[in-house]
Amino acid sequence: MKNIIGISTLLAMMTLLFSSCKKDWLERTPKDIILEEQVWNDPVMITGLLANYYDRFPTETGLEGNFRNAANYADAMWSGYSGEDWRNNIINYGFESWRYWDYGLIRDINLALESIEAYGEDLSDTEKVEFSAELRFQRAFIYFEMVKRMGGVPLVTSQLIYDYSGDPSALQLPRAKESEIYDFIASEVDAIKDQLGNSGSHTRANKYTALALKSRAMLYAGSLAKYNNQLGNPIQTANGEVGIPASQADDYYRKSLEASLEIINSGVYSLYQNNPEPGANFQELFLSKTDNPEVIFAKDFLSEKNKRHGFSYENIVRSVREDNLASSGITPGLGLVESYEYLDGSNGKLKIRNADNSDFIYYDDPADLFADKDGRLYGTVIYPGSTFKGLEIEVQAGVMVWNASTGTYQTIEGSALGSNYTDGQLLTSAAGPHRSIQEVSNTGFYLRKYVDIGAGTSTRGILSDVWWIWFRLGEIYLNAAEAAFELGQANAVDYVNVLRERAGFGSNSLSNLTLERIRNERRVELAFEDHRLWDLKRWRIAHSVWNGSASNEQAMIYALYPYRVIRPSDPARDGKYVFVKMQAPRFRAPRFFRVENYYSSIAQDVRNNNPKITPNPGH
């Protein structure tokens, strides 16, 4: 009887329990799943997704691991760890080089755009418009990164959803024309520029970020339309996936100029001019993240959030490195150094031999060779005798000992860094250069731009949080100059003079502009900012500049080695410094860019999955 009562009581309690909890049990919110309605109604979560998409923006030579690519095709070579020496021995660029085909990110952005509309009921109208505009900027940015590498690509602006019918043909979109992708970027910017929020932000897209994208993209399209058609055999496909009619060039240049001027004339940005010394000012431009008026858009890093990079660890001068490994990775070549003019406007070729080439020019101090140069040289490159972190960077390869009997010098170089000669004075400095030792400059120069000056930032324990600048006003001035020049406008030179004046030249240092001048200004102003490769490609001169010939100085990387002179019988020369130009010893293969490299090949698996994708010419 007791058992019957007990069982009955238990059943009654369970019935009561389940009947009272039934509703909550079935309708409670899972704690390990975020629902669509939660994501797309929460501005914080949406902002988190946007941050993820920004973080996936591509660079060829940024501040993270891919900075090493600068050794492959910037005005520099690799002087770091010898295991990366293949970068100095690239016989030719593979057709897959610079390939970028990121439809995963395009899909994510399209999904976000549609989801905000479908689920974002609790967002205000302003929030919806601004988030959507920001996503459309991101999509336009990614399409630009794809079209500049691949030519026309499939233009996908909504989710492609498989219907499980067994027929995927509806998902297999063909490539758009190259011009259609550029037109899409321009129209998107026009549509969203006044919808974007983020006023004053350097790291999220606002109106001027979008205009900067248009300024750059339209300049690319204009030059492709013009210079591709000036090739003996223009690169093109029958349906326009590659190749833009020459008749469209002026329209693209006009759009680039208009976007550039809207930024310049807005008054929102100004050139960085916080330091009266032009070289130091140019260096600070890339390091200062506080009240920097020139930066339009940057990828930021933050030590407090453990988002850091090893750019300084890998590239700092060998003699002042704070870690026991790395340093000296990317080292600029002599060709770049000599592209910086003297402040009197004369050619930047360094004066190392006398007029009849019968003797060296002797300098009291190695830094004297670089006196009166464009201030951007100091801000970009550490050269012999210049300073870094308040320390003089002593760069000396060896000594030149005079042999009176032969009337010649004997060159002596140390087998170790920081070694002394028999006279008790320096033989080879701790910063080199050295012909074969790894992690010391092989060219005689070091990189300054973007290298952090903070204590410990070249150690693996601390690292650096210097930001990577996507767009800055200096580039916009150069975009305006080039577009105006191509349109035949006489004031094009004014936009270049503004930048030159900041670099230490006098006001209106140029009275006229040439295409070669524009190209050199971009080379010196934008060095190591991921522009050089793309500029040479859009001007269609990469195959001439990097023609694979060892006798072509542009295809090679040259070094400049300083030596101390030992010539006691000649007090006018003894103890002075001379310089020897040579091919950088570790750089072995002249750069060889083939015509087929103007467009990257499309991966075979992409073409297998979508037979409508036509290959690029020559691939």
Side-chain angles (χ1 to χ4, degrees), residues 547-570:
N547 64 0
S549 170
S551 62
N552 172 15
E553 289 203 6
Q554 296 184 96
M556 303 295 292
I557 296 295
Y558 280 82
L560 188 69
Y561 280 20
Y563 296 89
R564 177 171 59 88
V565 172
I566 298 178
R567 194 171 176 176
S569 60
D570 186 346

PDB file of all heavy atoms in Angstrom, residues 547-570:
ATOM      1  N   ASN A 547      62.949  43.696 -67.299  1.00  0.00           N
ATOM      2  CA  ASN A 547      62.976  42.922 -68.547  1.00  0.00           C
ATOM      3  C   ASN A 547      63.834  41.666 -68.479  1.00  0.00           C
ATOM      4  O   ASN A 547      64.082  41.019 -69.496  1.00  0.00           O
ATOM      5  CB  ASN A 547      63.446  43.810 -69.705  1.00  0.00           C
ATOM      6  CG  ASN A 547      64.879  44.292 -69.524  1.00  0.00           C
ATOM      7  OD1 ASN A 547      65.519  43.967 -68.530  1.00  0.00           O
ATOM      8  ND2 ASN A 547      65.370  45.052 -70.481  1.00  0.00           N
ATOM      9  N   GLY A 548      64.329  41.337 -67.312  1.00  0.00           N
ATOM     10  CA  GLY A 548      65.096  40.098 -67.155  1.00  0.00           C
ATOM     11  C   GLY A 548      66.548  40.203 -67.593  1.00  0.00           C
ATOM     12  O   GLY A 548      67.251  39.191 -67.631  1.00  0.00           O
ATOM     13  N   SER A 549      67.013  41.404 -67.916  1.00  0.00           N
ATOM     14  CA  SER A 549      68.390  41.576 -68.383  1.00  0.00           C
ATOM     15  C   SER A 549      69.275  42.072 -67.244  1.00  0.00           C
ATOM     16  O   SER A 549      68.995  43.096 -66.611  1.00  0.00           O
ATOM     17  CB  SER A 549      68.435  42.581 -69.538  1.00  0.00           C
ATOM     18  OG  SER A 549      69.777  42.922 -69.843  1.00  0.00           O
ATOM     19  N   ALA A 550      70.395  41.370 -67.038  1.00  0.00           N
ATOM     20  CA  ALA A 550      71.322  41.763 -65.981  1.00  0.00           C
ATOM     21  C   ALA A 550      72.017  43.078 -66.305  1.00  0.00           C
ATOM     22  O   ALA A 550      72.588  43.719 -65.421  1.00  0.00           O
ATOM     23  CB  ALA A 550      72.353  40.661 -65.767  1.00  0.00           C
ATOM     24  N   SER A 551      71.992  43.480 -67.572  1.00  0.00           N
ATOM     25  CA  SER A 551      72.618  44.748 -67.944  1.00  0.00           C
ATOM     26  C   SER A 551      71.669  45.937 -67.771  1.00  0.00           C
ATOM     27  O   SER A 551      72.078  47.078 -67.968  1.00  0.00           O
ATOM     28  CB  SER A 551      73.090  44.682 -69.395  1.00  0.00           C
ATOM     29  OG  SER A 551      71.989  44.477 -70.263  1.00  0.00           O
ATOM     30  N   ASN A 552      70.438  45.654 -67.397  1.00  0.00           N
ATOM     31  CA  ASN A 552      69.456  46.705 -67.158  1.00  0.00           C
ATOM     32  C   ASN A 552      69.444  47.045 -65.665  1.00  0.00           C
ATOM     33  O   ASN A 552      68.993  46.246 -64.841  1.00  0.00           O
ATOM     34  CB  ASN A 552      68.072  46.230 -67.618  1.00  0.00           C
ATOM     35  CG  ASN A 552      66.964  47.185 -67.224  1.00  0.00           C
ATOM     36  OD1 ASN A 552      67.212  48.337 -66.843  1.00  0.00           O
ATOM     37  ND2 ASN A 552      65.725  46.707 -67.288  1.00  0.00           N
ATOM     38  N   GLU A 553      69.922  48.213 -65.311  1.00  0.00           N
ATOM     39  CA  GLU A 553      70.047  48.548 -63.884  1.00  0.00           C
ATOM     40  C   GLU A 553      68.701  48.565 -63.170  1.00  0.00           C
ATOM     41  O   GLU A 553      68.631  48.362 -61.963  1.00  0.00           O
ATOM     42  CB  GLU A 553      70.751  49.902 -63.722  1.00  0.00           C
ATOM     43  CG  GLU A 553      72.228  49.849 -64.062  1.00  0.00           C
ATOM     44  CD  GLU A 553      73.021  50.959 -63.402  1.00  0.00           C
ATOM     45  OE1 GLU A 553      72.455  51.705 -62.584  1.00  0.00           O
ATOM     46  OE2 GLU A 553      74.219  51.074 -63.722  1.00  0.00           O
ATOM     47  N   GLN A 554      67.637  48.833 -63.918  1.00  0.00           N
ATOM     48  CA  GLN A 554      66.314  48.858 -63.282  1.00  0.00           C
ATOM     49  C   GLN A 554      65.861  47.454 -62.879  1.00  0.00           C
ATOM     50  O   GLN A 554      65.019  47.310 -61.998  1.00  0.00           O
ATOM     51  CB  GLN A 554      65.284  49.473 -64.226  1.00  0.00           C
ATOM     52  CG  GLN A 554      65.551  50.930 -64.568  1.00  0.00           C
ATOM     53  CD  GLN A 554      64.438  51.488 -65.417  1.00  0.00           C
ATOM     54  OE1 GLN A 554      63.516  52.115 -64.927  1.00  0.00           O
ATOM     55  NE2 GLN A 554      64.517  51.263 -66.716  1.00  0.00           N
ATOM     56  N   ALA A 555      66.394  46.455 -63.552  1.00  0.00           N
ATOM     57  CA  ALA A 555      65.993  45.088 -63.239  1.00  0.00           C
ATOM     58  C   ALA A 555      66.855  44.483 -62.137  1.00  0.00           C
ATOM     59  O   ALA A 555      66.589  43.384 -61.668  1.00  0.00           O
ATOM     60  CB  ALA A 555      66.087  44.221 -64.494  1.00  0.00           C
ATOM     61  N   MET A 556      67.890  45.204 -61.750  1.00  0.00           N
ATOM     62  CA  MET A 556      68.818  44.704 -60.743  1.00  0.00           C
ATOM     63  C   MET A 556      68.722  45.549 -59.470  1.00  0.00           C
ATOM     64  O   MET A 556      68.210  46.662 -59.491  1.00  0.00           O
ATOM     65  CB  MET A 556      70.263  44.753 -61.271  1.00  0.00           C
ATOM     66  CG  MET A 556      70.489  43.986 -62.554  1.00  0.00           C
ATOM     67  SD  MET A 556      70.245  42.208 -62.344  1.00  0.00           S
ATOM     68  CE  MET A 556      71.642  41.800 -61.293  1.00  0.00           C
ATOM     69  N   ILE A 557      69.242  45.022 -58.390  1.00  0.00           N
ATOM     70  CA  ILE A 557      69.364  45.797 -57.157  1.00  0.00           C
ATOM     71  C   ILE A 557      70.849  46.065 -56.924  1.00  0.00           C
ATOM     72  O   ILE A 557      71.662  45.128 -56.875  1.00  0.00           O
ATOM     73  CB  ILE A 557      68.761  45.045 -55.955  1.00  0.00           C
ATOM     74  CG1 ILE A 557      67.244  44.858 -56.154  1.00  0.00           C
ATOM     75  CG2 ILE A 557      69.039  45.815 -54.657  1.00  0.00           C
ATOM     76  CD1 ILE A 557      66.435  46.136 -56.179  1.00  0.00           C
ATOM     77  N   TYR A 558      71.173  47.336 -56.793  1.00  0.00           N
ATOM     78  CA  TYR A 558      72.564  47.727 -56.584  1.00  0.00           C
ATOM     79  C   TYR A 558      72.793  48.167 -55.142  1.00  0.00           C
ATOM     80  O   TYR A 558      71.872  48.647 -54.464  1.00  0.00           O
ATOM     81  CB  TYR A 558      72.948  48.856 -57.549  1.00  0.00           C
ATOM     82  CG  TYR A 558      73.272  48.321 -58.925  1.00  0.00           C
ATOM     83  CD1 TYR A 558      72.257  48.030 -59.825  1.00  0.00           C
ATOM     84  CD2 TYR A 558      74.590  48.072 -59.300  1.00  0.00           C
ATOM     85  CE1 TYR A 558      72.538  47.505 -61.076  1.00  0.00           C
ATOM     86  CE2 TYR A 558      74.897  47.547 -60.547  1.00  0.00           C
ATOM     87  CZ  TYR A 558      73.868  47.264 -61.435  1.00  0.00           C
ATOM     88  OH  TYR A 558      74.155  46.738 -62.670  1.00  0.00           O
ATOM     89  N   ALA A 559      74.038  47.999 -54.725  1.00  0.00           N
ATOM     90  CA  ALA A 559      74.449  48.359 -53.373  1.00  0.00           C
ATOM     91  C   ALA A 559      75.450  49.503 -53.437  1.00  0.00           C
ATOM     92  O   ALA A 559      76.049  49.770 -54.480  1.00  0.00           O
ATOM     93  CB  ALA A 559      75.081  47.149 -52.678  1.00  0.00           C
ATOM     94  N   LEU A 560      75.630  50.149 -52.305  1.00  0.00           N
ATOM     95  CA  LEU A 560      76.651  51.198 -52.187  1.00  0.00           C
ATOM     96  C   LEU A 560      77.397  50.968 -50.878  1.00  0.00           C
ATOM     97  O   LEU A 560      76.828  51.121 -49.798  1.00  0.00           O
ATOM     98  CB  LEU A 560      76.005  52.584 -52.193  1.00  0.00           C
ATOM     99  CG  LEU A 560      76.989  53.745 -52.269  1.00  0.00           C
ATOM    100  CD1 LEU A 560      77.659  53.790 -53.647  1.00  0.00           C
ATOM    101  CD2 LEU A 560      76.296  55.075 -51.991  1.00  0.00           C
ATOM    102  N   TYR A 561      78.671  50.588 -50.987  1.00  0.00           N
ATOM    103  CA  TYR A 561      79.455  50.237 -49.801  1.00  0.00           C
ATOM    104  C   TYR A 561      80.425  51.365 -49.444  1.00  0.00           C
ATOM    105  O   TYR A 561      81.247  51.774 -50.270  1.00  0.00           O
ATOM    106  CB  TYR A 561      80.237  48.941 -50.056  1.00  0.00           C
ATOM    107  CG  TYR A 561      79.418  47.678 -49.908  1.00  0.00           C
ATOM    108  CD1 TYR A 561      78.033  47.699 -49.985  1.00  0.00           C
ATOM    109  CD2 TYR A 561      80.025  46.447 -49.678  1.00  0.00           C
ATOM    110  CE1 TYR A 561      77.283  46.552 -49.846  1.00  0.00           C
ATOM    111  CE2 TYR A 561      79.288  45.281 -49.537  1.00  0.00           C
ATOM    112  CZ  TYR A 561      77.906  45.337 -49.625  1.00  0.00           C
ATOM    113  OH  TYR A 561      77.167  44.194 -49.482  1.00  0.00           O
ATOM    114  N   PRO A 562      80.380  51.843 -48.204  1.00  0.00           N
ATOM    115  CA  PRO A 562      81.324  52.872 -47.744  1.00  0.00           C
ATOM    116  C   PRO A 562      82.615  52.230 -47.189  1.00  0.00           C
ATOM    117  O   PRO A 562      82.561  51.171 -46.547  1.00  0.00           O
ATOM    118  CB  PRO A 562      80.560  53.581 -46.614  1.00  0.00           C
ATOM    119  CG  PRO A 562      79.212  52.924 -46.524  1.00  0.00           C
ATOM    120  CD  PRO A 562      79.311  51.617 -47.211  1.00  0.00           C
ATOM    121  N   TYR A 563      83.729  52.894 -47.445  1.00  0.00           N
ATOM    122  CA  TYR A 563      85.025  52.418 -46.937  1.00  0.00           C
ATOM    123  C   TYR A 563      85.783  53.588 -46.319  1.00  0.00           C
ATOM    124  O   TYR A 563      85.718  54.719 -46.821  1.00  0.00           O
ATOM    125  CB  TYR A 563      85.865  51.818 -48.069  1.00  0.00           C
ATOM    126  CG  TYR A 563      85.264  50.588 -48.680  1.00  0.00           C
ATOM    127  CD1 TYR A 563      84.372  50.696 -49.767  1.00  0.00           C
ATOM    128  CD2 TYR A 563      85.555  49.323 -48.187  1.00  0.00           C
ATOM    129  CE1 TYR A 563      83.815  49.574 -50.339  1.00  0.00           C
ATOM    130  CE2 TYR A 563      84.991  48.184 -48.755  1.00  0.00           C
ATOM    131  CZ  TYR A 563      84.119  48.314 -49.822  1.00  0.00           C
ATOM    132  OH  TYR A 563      83.551  47.196 -50.390  1.00  0.00           O
ATOM    133  N   ARG A 564      86.544  53.290 -45.280  1.00  0.00           N
ATOM    134  CA  ARG A 564      87.446  54.276 -44.690  1.00  0.00           C
ATOM    135  C   ARG A 564      88.792  54.179 -45.407  1.00  0.00           C
ATOM    136  O   ARG A 564      89.308  53.067 -45.628  1.00  0.00           O
ATOM    137  CB  ARG A 564      87.604  54.013 -43.184  1.00  0.00           C
ATOM    138  CG  ARG A 564      88.587  54.953 -42.483  1.00  0.00           C
ATOM    139  CD  ARG A 564      88.510  54.771 -40.957  1.00  0.00           C
ATOM    140  NE  ARG A 564      88.802  53.405 -40.534  1.00  0.00           N
ATOM    141  CZ  ARG A 564      90.044  52.950 -40.262  1.00  0.00           C
ATOM    142  NH1 ARG A 564      91.080  53.762 -40.371  1.00  0.00           N
ATOM    143  NH2 ARG A 564      90.231  51.701 -39.869  1.00  0.00           N
ATOM    144  N   VAL A 565      89.354  55.307 -45.759  1.00  0.00           N
ATOM    145  CA  VAL A 565      90.604  55.342 -46.512  1.00  0.00           C
ATOM    146  C   VAL A 565      91.794  55.363 -45.554  1.00  0.00           C
ATOM    147  O   VAL A 565      91.822  56.141 -44.597  1.00  0.00           O
ATOM    148  CB  VAL A 565      90.647  56.585 -47.424  1.00  0.00           C
ATOM    149  CG1 VAL A 565      92.028  56.734 -48.074  1.00  0.00           C
ATOM    150  CG2 VAL A 565      89.557  56.493 -48.485  1.00  0.00           C
ATOM    151  N   ILE A 566      92.746  54.487 -45.837  1.00  0.00           N
ATOM    152  CA  ILE A 566      94.010  54.477 -45.066  1.00  0.00           C
ATOM    153  C   ILE A 566      95.124  54.874 -46.038  1.00  0.00           C
ATOM    154  O   ILE A 566      95.512  54.099 -46.923  1.00  0.00           O
ATOM    155  CB  ILE A 566      94.263  53.101 -44.444  1.00  0.00           C
ATOM    156  CG1 ILE A 566      93.130  52.756 -43.462  1.00  0.00           C
ATOM    157  CG2 ILE A 566      95.623  53.063 -43.746  1.00  0.00           C
ATOM    158  CD1 ILE A 566      93.253  51.398 -42.819  1.00  0.00           C
ATOM    159  N   ARG A 567      95.571  56.085 -45.905  1.00  0.00           N
ATOM    160  CA  ARG A 567      96.575  56.637 -46.827  1.00  0.00           C
ATOM    161  C   ARG A 567      97.381  57.702 -46.076  1.00  0.00           C
ATOM    162  O   ARG A 567      97.270  58.901 -46.345  1.00  0.00           O
ATOM    163  CB  ARG A 567      95.871  57.227 -48.048  1.00  0.00           C
ATOM    164  CG  ARG A 567      96.772  57.539 -49.233  1.00  0.00           C
ATOM    165  CD  ARG A 567      95.927  57.892 -50.438  1.00  0.00           C
ATOM    166  NE  ARG A 567      96.738  58.287 -51.589  1.00  0.00           N
ATOM    167  CZ  ARG A 567      96.252  58.572 -52.792  1.00  0.00           C
ATOM    168  NH1 ARG A 567      94.929  58.488 -53.008  1.00  0.00           N
ATOM    169  NH2 ARG A 567      97.050  58.933 -53.781  1.00  0.00           N
ATOM    170  N   PRO A 568      98.191  57.286 -45.124  1.00  0.00           N
ATOM    171  CA  PRO A 568      98.875  58.250 -44.243  1.00  0.00           C
ATOM    172  C   PRO A 568      99.726  59.262 -44.994  1.00  0.00           C
ATOM    173  O   PRO A 568      99.932  60.377 -44.501  1.00  0.00           O
ATOM    174  CB  PRO A 568      99.757  57.338 -43.367  1.00  0.00           C
ATOM    175  CG  PRO A 568      99.119  56.001 -43.442  1.00  0.00           C
ATOM    176  CD  PRO A 568      98.513  55.896 -44.789  1.00  0.00           C
ATOM    177  N   SER A 569     100.210  58.887 -46.174  1.00  0.00           N
ATOM    178  CA  SER A 569     101.074  59.803 -46.926  1.00  0.00           C
ATOM    179  C   SER A 569     100.296  60.942 -47.567  1.00  0.00           C
ATOM    180  O   SER A 569     100.898  61.873 -48.116  1.00  0.00           O
ATOM    181  CB  SER A 569     101.808  59.016 -48.021  1.00  0.00           C
ATOM    182  OG  SER A 569     100.869  58.429 -48.912  1.00  0.00           O
ATOM    183  N   ASP A 570      98.996  60.856 -47.508  1.00  0.00           N
ATOM    184  CA  ASP A 570      98.162  61.881 -48.149  1.00  0.00           C
ATOM    185  C   ASP A 570      97.110  62.364 -47.146  1.00  0.00           C
ATOM    186  O   ASP A 570      95.988  61.831 -47.118  1.00  0.00           O
ATOM    187  CB  ASP A 570      97.492  61.284 -49.393  1.00  0.00           C
ATOM    188  CG  ASP A 570      96.727  62.318 -50.188  1.00  0.00           C
ATOM    189  OD1 ASP A 570      96.483  63.427 -49.660  1.00  0.00           O
ATOM    190  OD2 ASP A 570      96.339  62.016 -51.334  1.00  0.00           O
TER     191      ASP A 570
END
